[in-house]
Amino acid sequence: MEKEKIKQAAEMIIKAEYPVVLTGAGISAESGVPTFRGKSGLWKKYDPEAAVSIAGFRRDPEPFWDFAQDLLLENDIQPNPGHIALAELEKLGIIKKIITQNIDFLHQRAGSEEVLELHGTLNRATCLNCKKKYDWKDLVPVIEAGNIPECDNCQSNKIKPDIVFFGERLPQDALKQAWQAAERSDLMIVIGTSLAVYPVASLPSVTKENGGELIYLNVDSGQQDYLFDLIIKGKAGEILPEILKMID
Ligand code: OAD
């Protein structure tokens, strides 16, 4: 059954002129990165308001750093076959953009270049007080030792990763480019996201309203299933390499 749908997806991708991809935490699940919602999601364990709201962080950064222990980009987290298949489809000139809500940098590590990070990146951090920039990897040893990073320039303990906290605006340039890509796209492939968080969750309907088609790849049902032309139930790390095989 899914085999037939995989074939159909490959045909839709081949036919499309400007296929774009929208990803969420589910594409990184098989790399060992936890998702946010669902039975074992991060939001069952942490209060988003305390852990990742900008007001909360300014008041007290400690709850964020507790949360970061689970979110940590551990050194052994690697791109999985799903990320790699998408990078390969970009190299073949097929996929034009990856719009992602993920902050884990795994698309880029898999080799994708046209990536729009709408919720920022955990790859860098900025001191909220003096604006000094840090590489996340330089903070990891401090965090792993259970400490809160302190700015070596101004001694503030408010070094915030460049991810979008609740209460912050999305990176406006990336958002604008994502909107334009969604408008232009005649096929959006939506992978591993519950489509629960706006404005990103509006992007599939932007493509649809402009006459494009939509594919949903997820282990489960989503919140906007009625929008999609094709729904494939399965793991991104298993289905995407199958789709690639039919195209390559
Ligand atoms: P969610 O945790 O809401 O959804 C993850 C989706 O991935 C679910 O629909 C799962 O069914 C699906 N899934 C899990 N494993 C999968 C697999 N192996 N293959 C395919 N699908 C799989 O994560 P997001 O939709 O990314 O924002 O959440 C959006 C935003 O909510 C996040 O960026 C974060 C959070 O609050 C901020 O922190 C600003």
Side-chain angles (χ1 to χ4, degrees), residues 24-26 30 35-37 43 101 119 166 192-194 197 218-219 236:
E30 290 154 86
T35 60
F36 293 94
R37 293 170 186 80
W43 295 154
Q101 299 163 89
H119 289 169
F166 292 111
T193 171
S194 60
V197 175
N218 200 301
V219 288

Side-chain angles (χ1 to χ4, degrees), residues 33-47:
V33 179
T35 60
F36 293 94
R37 293 170 186 80
K39 279 196 289 293
S40 49
L42 286 167
W43 295 154
K44 285 273 186 298
K45 192 167 164 194
Y46 297 98
D47 170 11

Side-chain angles (χ1 to χ4, degrees), residues 57 60-66 68-69 72 122 124-129 132 134-161:
F57 187 82
D60 177 10
E62 195 171 344
F64 170 76
W65 294 111
D66 283 345
Q69 299 286 342
L72 265 188
L122 202 51
R124 291 182 307 275
T126 307
C127 172
L128 292 184
N129 187 44
K132 180 169 177 182
Y134 289 86
D135 277 343
W136 177 260
K137 64 174 166 26
D138 296 332
L139 304 179
V140 168
V142 182
I143 306 158
E144 281 181 339
N147 296 321
I148 296 176
E150 240 180 41
C151 180
D152 55 24
N153 184 45
C154 74
Q155 281 69 53
S156 161
N157 68 351
K158 308 270 179 346
I159 298 179
K160 185 188 145 303

Side-chain angles (χ1 to χ4, degrees), residues 82-121:
H83 298 106
I84 292 165
L86 291 180
E88 199 52 43
L89 285 168
E90 182 184 320
K91 284 199 191 84
L92 291 170
I94 293 171
I95 283 175
K96 304 295 192 282
K97 292 264 181 242
I98 295 181
I99 303 164
T100 189
Q101 299 163 89
N102 298 345
I103 55 173
D104 56 28
F105 209 64
L106 290 177
H107 285 303
Q108 291 91 332
R109 286 178 57 203
S112 293
E113 290 178 10
E114 290 295 325
V115 183
L116 297 169
E117 293 173 309
L118 294 193
H119 289 169
T121 177

